[in-house]
Amino acid sequence: MISICRDVERVLISEEEIQNRVRELGRQISGDYRGKRPILVAVLRGAIVFLCDLMRYMSIPVTVDFLSVSSYSGHIQTGVVRILKDLDENIEKRYVILIEDIVDTGLTLSYIIKTLKTRNPAHISVCALLDKRSRRVVDVPVDYVGFEIPDEFVVGYGMDYNQKYRNLPFIGVLRREILQG
Ligand code: 5GP
């Protein structure tokens, strides 16, 4: 842990701040979805830590499922992403809550929502830990937001850079030399 912490220039959101906010979100969603048994759909891999904490702060029964999509890098104009791992559950007539680590341009989410809507769920809502609103290219509804953050590349609490730093318990900004390789 110490060696990867050295790569972090600055802590943007501390472990305590994250836990307090995720607890609030868990309580809020539990209240909003009482009696509905929602499916929490985490988008792999960045949302796994958030999902694990969030579900433990929820007091209602939930189903958990996972979706993995390819990044649209190189295809940003179309916003088309590919499903690499589809859901195991049938979401017809179910209340779906998409769990995302971060909404940036909104292209990934908008594609996922469009795809899942064709399966006739009762309702789809979105819960994102982080929102980089200033970077939005497409308008996507984000129902629950942990924190709005500035346009900076962040790691930790599930989020990576070259598959590293997901296990940091806080959210931080990497030192410039690391990002430049
Ligand atoms: P969007 O389609 O909204 O542009 O991108 C969403 C995805 O891009 C996120 O789920 C995440 O995987 C990745 N992403 C966007 N910004 C960041 C960031 O600051 N740090 C990390 N680690 N991933 C990011």
Side-chain angles (χ1 to χ4, degrees), residues 96-159:
V96 175
I97 308 177
L98 279 169
I99 310 294
E100 259 283 29
D101 51 355
I102 178 162
V103 186
D104 188 17
T105 63
L107 288 168
T108 308
L109 251 188
S110 122
Y111 179 81
I112 292 173
I113 293 171
K114 209 165 37 174
T115 304
L116 296 188
K117 271 190 177 160
T118 64
R119 302 178 190 183
N120 300 317
H123 186 254
I124 300 180
S125 66
V126 175
C127 175
L129 179 68
L130 304 178
D131 187 355
K132 276 191 203 171
R133 203 157 296 173
S134 62
R135 295 249 315 153
R136 205 68 100 252
V137 171
V138 284
D139 194 24
V140 278
V142 186
D143 305 86
Y144 304 95
V145 175
F147 305 88
E148 196 173 321
I149 61 162
D151 180 13
E152 282 189 283
F153 190 84
V154 293
V155 295
Y157 197 68
M159 287 166 283

Side-chain angles (χ1 to χ4, degrees), residues 11-167:
V11 174
L12 195 65
I13 309 171
S14 71
E15 183 172 2
E16 193 185 352
E17 287 172 306
I18 296 171
Q19 291 302 323
N20 288 341
R21 185 67 188 120
V22 176
R23 190 183 306 115
E24 281 175 4
L25 286 174
R27 286 184 183 154
Q28 189 186 351
I29 296 171
S30 299
D32 293 350
Y33 281 83
R34 202 156 299 283
K36 293 200 168 79
R37 200 194 166 98
I39 303 190
L40 305 179
V41 172
V43 184
L44 295 172
R45 297 174 222 177
I48 53 168
V49 179
F50 180 35
L51 169 76
C52 290
D53 280 346
L54 182 70
M55 66 194 275
R56 284 178 294 176
Y57 287 126
M58 290 179 67
S59 55
I60 56 169
V62 293
T63 304
V64 170
D65 206 347
F66 300 92
L67 191 66
S68 175
V69 293
S70 66
S71 116
Y72 51 75
S73 53
H75 309 278
I76 199 157
Q77 307 87 337
T78 61
V80 172
V81 292
R82 214 156 36 87
I83 293 184
L84 300 177
K85 186 236 166 273
D86 208 336
L87 299 178
D88 293 325
E89 298 290 324
N90 178 1
I91 60 167
E92 193 176 353
K93 300 195 178 94
R94 299 289 307 268
Y95 287 83
V96 175
I97 308 177
L98 279 169
I99 310 294
E100 259 283 29
D101 51 355
I102 178 162
V103 186
D104 188 17
T105 63
L107 288 168
T108 308
L109 251 188
S110 122
Y111 179 81
I112 292 173
I113 293 171
K114 209 165 37 174
T115 304
L116 296 188
K117 271 190 177 160
T118 64
R119 302 178 190 183
N120 300 317
H123 186 254
I124 300 180
S125 66
V126 175
C127 175
L129 179 68
L130 304 178
D131 187 355
K132 276 191 203 171
R133 203 157 296 173
S134 62
R135 295 249 315 153
R136 205 68 100 252
V137 171
V138 284
D139 194 24
V140 278
V142 186
D143 305 86
Y144 304 95
V145 175
F147 305 88
E148 196 173 321
I149 61 162
D151 180 13
E152 282 189 283
F153 190 84
V154 293
V155 295
Y157 197 68
M159 287 166 283
D160 76 310
Y161 176 62
N162 284 344
Q163 298 306 328
K164 236 173 125 178
Y165 310 109
R166 292 192 199 273
N167 52 326

Side-chain angles (χ1 to χ4, degrees), residues 3-14:
S3 72
I4 57 173
C5 279
R6 271 194 218 119
D7 295 350
V8 174
E9 180 184 276
R10 170 164 67 83
V11 174
L12 195 65
I13 309 171
S14 71

